[in-house]
Amino acid sequence: MVDLHFGDSKPTDEERAAVDALLGPPESSWEGADRSDADLRWARGGREARERRDLLLPGLHAVNDRIGWISEGALGYLCRRLTVPPAEAYGVATFYAMFSVRPRPSTVLHVCTDLACAAAGAPELCAGVEARLGPGSGVSVERSPCLGLCERAPAALAVRAGDPVRTAVSAPATVAAAVLAATAPDSAPVEPPAAAAVPQAGRDGLVLLSRVGVVDPSSLDDYRAHGGYTALRRAFAIGAAGVIREVTESGLVGRGGAAFPTGRKWQATASQPDRTHYLVCNADESEPGTFKDRVLMEGDPYALVEAMTVAGFAVGARQGYLYLRGEYPRALARLEHALGQARARGLLGDDILGQGYSFDIEIRRGAGAYICGEETALFNSIEGHRGEPRSKPPFPVEKGLFGRPTAENNVETLVNVLPVLTMGAQAYAAVGTGASTGPKLFCVSGSVDRPGVYELPFGATLGELLELAGVREGLRAVLLGGAAGGFVRPDELDIPLTFEGTREAGATLGSGVVLAFDGTVPLPRLLLRIAEFFRDESCGQCVPCRVGTVRQEEALHRIAERRGAAAEPDIALLREVGRTMKDASICGLGQTAWNAVESAIDRLGAYE
């Protein structure tokens, strides 16, 4: 078996310090320390190092944060410390968009070019920034997929490597503001509070957003004064089985798009005989147009900590992992602070609230890979492998993270568990409709006057939501569900916003994305951007997706300026490729990559 090695490249002192700050100093020359006589007789720590393979992704972050890129010497040293084959580590490092294995400036400016930002002038912003920050500026300008700042489009994120790493957000960005964020991040304007993304903030009747803009997100005392940790106390009172029963009877289903019953998932995990169970929170919302989880984490971080503790108790987990988007620096800071405060106050760790239950949460940062929103790809990413989806079965409730039974839910789903317990299952189920219960968060952006996160009970219509957001004149189309969703026409705004209602209308609710586009947005260019997104984000593991997303993009390039009969051969090819991806791809990325394009052709007559 042949492995890839990096020759004689050595880590710099800074690179070595970045790795050692995470892993501790090496104990022997086998791990990179100076050679001693003892090393000639035995190797120490090999088994322990191999069991820390899951620290590969944090190690890559440590180097990238400190230096700005990952050299051969740094990667080789990290491989020695973890006894990871260099070829495998190289495959992981090159999998993520936020890492670079080639030299680049210490400051990187990520400029979003995805759907909401593209409609708000991102191409012009990129051109202006690139003209201002030419070679020699010390800044690398990179065109980025969705940064999750759609309510403030167009958006840019500056990351300056160092100890500590510095970040600055510019949104809505102008050329001057984006350049300032990149060249002087400490002087960039302060981000608006999370409540600025919630037009309903402070209004009566809100459930999931009731504390955003009302409670100080850094204060545990303020959170508890507004009902915090009531749900956890009730969970301890009724026991793990009682919690699962309440969640099941409430009708709560996953809010990430798949809409799987949460109670069934938890029951299946809890009933596994394996003694070690895990809970994973999927906070890697990378669907273009989605930013609700970011707002919850920034505006009400203790709610997520409490909800994860309740879920861990219910499924029998002692350890939880929160997989957070690498593009969310403020959410990371808020959650790290919240976890520290919860541990200090006995709300995480050993013997929580004196109930004999031990549970803790570890944050793992993603690094720019849409595919890691798929649960098994997320597990692989945490374990230190490429974020490629696994075949099912076995399902995660049987063999998930580290091969153990695992319950995985996204942020919005978990936060819904708190009102289920405080209101009671019956009262919660009375909100919404019989098949889609409870409140739902919607991410509205694009051609509206008041973009942001809206909370409505299931059953409200698309038109009612757009009226709240102030839809502008000349509405051309609405994209439901993000890039993986589908378009609807302006005369279809009476569609009820429920899982069953959108399905009957031939659309999808997905994660709650509602992107409005007026006639100023060229539809063919929008479809081409969606195709580029899926081609770029395909992990390449299965042929239907790896090849199909490329063929889809190529066809859309050919017909970008065609209409009518001239476009028919390529439209026929698109349909064939789309059916193949939908039927044969291993995961949801390939299975949904054709949805938006198909709906634009069939419902909007995009190329007629």
Side-chain angles (χ1 to χ4, degrees):
M1 180 176 179
V2 178
D3 189 25
L4 172 70
H5 292 278
F6 299 128
D8 297 326
S9 299
K10 304 294 183 183
T12 65
D13 290 342
E14 273 287 285
E15 292 168 338
R16 184 185 292 267
V19 174
D20 290 350
L22 174 73
L23 303 179
E27 296 183 359
S28 73
S29 64
W30 298 95
E31 293 186 16
D34 293 334
R35 184 177 294 276
S36 68
D37 291 341
D39 294 326
L40 300 178
R41 291 190 291 273
W42 68 82
R44 293 172 291 172
R47 181 186 299 276
E48 291 79 3
R50 284 190 293 274
E51 291 176 349
R52 296 195 297 174
R53 168 75 185 246
D54 66 294
L55 293 180
L56 178 58
L57 182 57
L60 294 171
H61 269 296
V63 175
N64 198 73
D65 285 350
R66 182 81 68 97
I67 310 300
W69 67 288
I70 303 163
S71 71
E72 291 182 358
L75 190 58
Y77 180 63
L78 181 59
C79 288
R80 285 186 72 179
R81 295 300 315 276
L82 298 175
T83 65
V84 174
E88 293 184 22
Y90 183 83
V92 173
T94 54
F95 186 81
Y96 298 97
M98 297 186 76
F99 296 149
S100 175
V101 294
R102 294 181 175 85
R104 66 179 178 184
S106 60
T107 299
V108 178
L109 181 66
H110 302 273
V111 182
C112 179
T113 58
D114 240 316
L115 304 180
C117 289
E124 295 77 15
L125 174 64
C126 282
V129 168
E130 288 169 343
R132 288 275 296 273
L133 295 173
S137 66
V139 177
S140 172
V141 180
E142 298 187 1
R143 299 184 179 222
S144 168
C146 184
L147 294 173
L149 296 163
C150 315
E151 84 282 8
R152 288 182 273 150
L157 169 67
V159 181
R160 175 174 289 184
D163 186 19
V165 63
R166 289 178 171 83
T167 61
V169 167
S170 178
T174 61
V175 171
V179 169
L180 178 64
T183 56
D186 293 333
S187 301
V190 176
E191 273 196 85
V198 183
Q200 301 165 303
R203 297 184 188 177
D204 292 336
L206 297 178
V207 179
L208 305 177
L209 299 175
S210 62
R211 283 183 288 263
V212 177
V214 175
V215 169
D216 178 358
S218 67
S219 173
L220 177 55
D221 288 331
D222 204 7
Y223 175 70
R224 297 184 75 168
H226 287 80
Y229 282 95
T230 303
L232 180 60
R233 291 186 182 278
R234 180 154 191 261
F236 285 144
I238 63 178
V243 172
I244 293 175
R245 182 173 60 252
E246 287 282 291
V247 172
T248 302
E249 292 177 355
S250 73
L252 174 64
V253 299
R255 301 300 202 241
F260 190 84
T262 304
R264 281 177 54 192
K265 180 183 289 188
W266 288 12
Q267 179 60 54
T269 306
S271 63
Q272 296 298 316
D274 194 314
R275 292 178 64 87
T276 302
H277 295 180
Y278 289 108
L279 172 76
V280 173
C281 173
N282 184 346
D284 191 56
E285 58 169 5
S286 305
E287 186 68 52
T290 311
F291 51 95
K292 57 187 173 58
D293 289 352
R294 188 203 90 226
V295 171
L296 285 173
M297 291 184 289
E298 292 180 350
D300 197 10
Y302 289 103
L304 179 57
V305 175
E306 180 185 4
M308 288 185 67
T309 309
V310 170
F313 173 68
V315 303
R318 295 290 187 269
Q319 179 67 42
Y321 288 90
L322 199 167
Y323 190 90
L324 177 65
R325 278 198 77 180
E327 297 91 340
Y328 283 177
R330 183 162 70 171
L332 173 64
R334 292 274 167 84
L335 287 164
E336 286 179 335
H337 176 78
L339 292 175
Q341 291 295 303
R343 291 188 192 105
R345 301 280 285 275
L347 297 168
L348 280 178
D350 296 332
D351 195 21
I352 296 173
L353 292 176
Q355 297 295 315
Y357 173 59
S358 299
F359 180 75
D360 210 341
I361 298 170
E362 184 175 342
I363 297 176
R364 291 295 175 93
R365 293 162 59 199
Y370 171 78
I371 191 63
C372 288
E374 197 278 338
E375 58 184 357
T376 61
L378 186 156
F379 300 156
N380 276 338
S381 181
I382 291 177
E383 292 174 15
H385 302 282
R386 289 169 61 88
E388 297 173 344
R390 304 172 184 173
S391 297
K392 303 175 189 176
F395 294 96
V397 296
E398 302 163 327
K399 291 188 180 297
L401 185 63
F402 303 119
R404 306 290 189 174
T406 304
E408 179 269 352
N409 298 105
N410 76 342
V411 174
E412 185 187 355
T413 307
L414 287 165
V415 171
N416 265 276
V417 172
L418 304 182
V420 168
L421 293 180
T422 55
M423 297 168 60
Q426 299 307 315
Y428 181 92
V431 178
T433 67
S436 297
T437 64
K440 178 75 183 79
L441 299 182
F442 297 94
C443 309
V444 185
S445 59
S447 302
V448 295
D449 294 326
R450 294 176 293 279
V453 178
Y454 287 83
E455 179 183 320
L456 291 174
F458 274 115
T461 67
L462 176 58
E464 291 169 344
L465 174 60
L466 289 174
E467 185 177 351
L468 281 176
V471 66
R472 296 172 191 160
E473 291 286 333
L475 182 66
R476 171 75 171 89
V478 179
L479 180 61
L480 286 180
F487 288 95
V488 298
R489 300 187 305 271
D491 61 354
E492 297 179 296
L493 301 187
D494 58 347
I495 294 175
L497 294 174
T498 60
F499 293 112
E500 66 276 12
T502 52
R503 191 162 48 246
E504 289 173 5
T508 178
L509 195 61
S511 58
V513 174
V514 178
L515 261 165
F517 298 102
D518 59 25
T520 65
V521 180
L523 193 56
R525 177 59 210 153
L526 201 65
L527 298 180
L528 187 55
R529 175 58 197 140
I530 291 173
E532 291 170 348
F533 172 81
F534 281 114
R535 183 262 305 150
D536 189 52
E537 296 293 345
S538 172
C539 74
Q541 180 182 195
C542 68
V543 172
C545 179
R546 182 177 70 242
V547 176
T549 52
V550 173
R551 295 293 173 262
Q552 177 173 264
E553 182 188 358
E554 290 173 345
L556 288 173
H557 268 293
R558 288 193 296 270
I559 63 176
E561 302 302 328
R562 298 180 189 174
R563 294 292 185 276
E568 287 179 3
D570 278 312
I571 289 176
L573 175 63
L574 280 170
R575 293 188 189 281
E576 182 178 351
V577 170
R579 283 193 298 268
T580 302
M581 288 194 292
K582 186 174 294 187
D583 292 342
S585 295
I586 195 173
C587 81
L589 187 150
Q591 293 164 10
T592 60
W594 153 245
N595 286 0
V597 178
E598 179 183 33
S599 65
I601 293 172
D602 292 342
R603 301 180 87 124
L604 304 180
Y607 297 105
E608 292 178 357

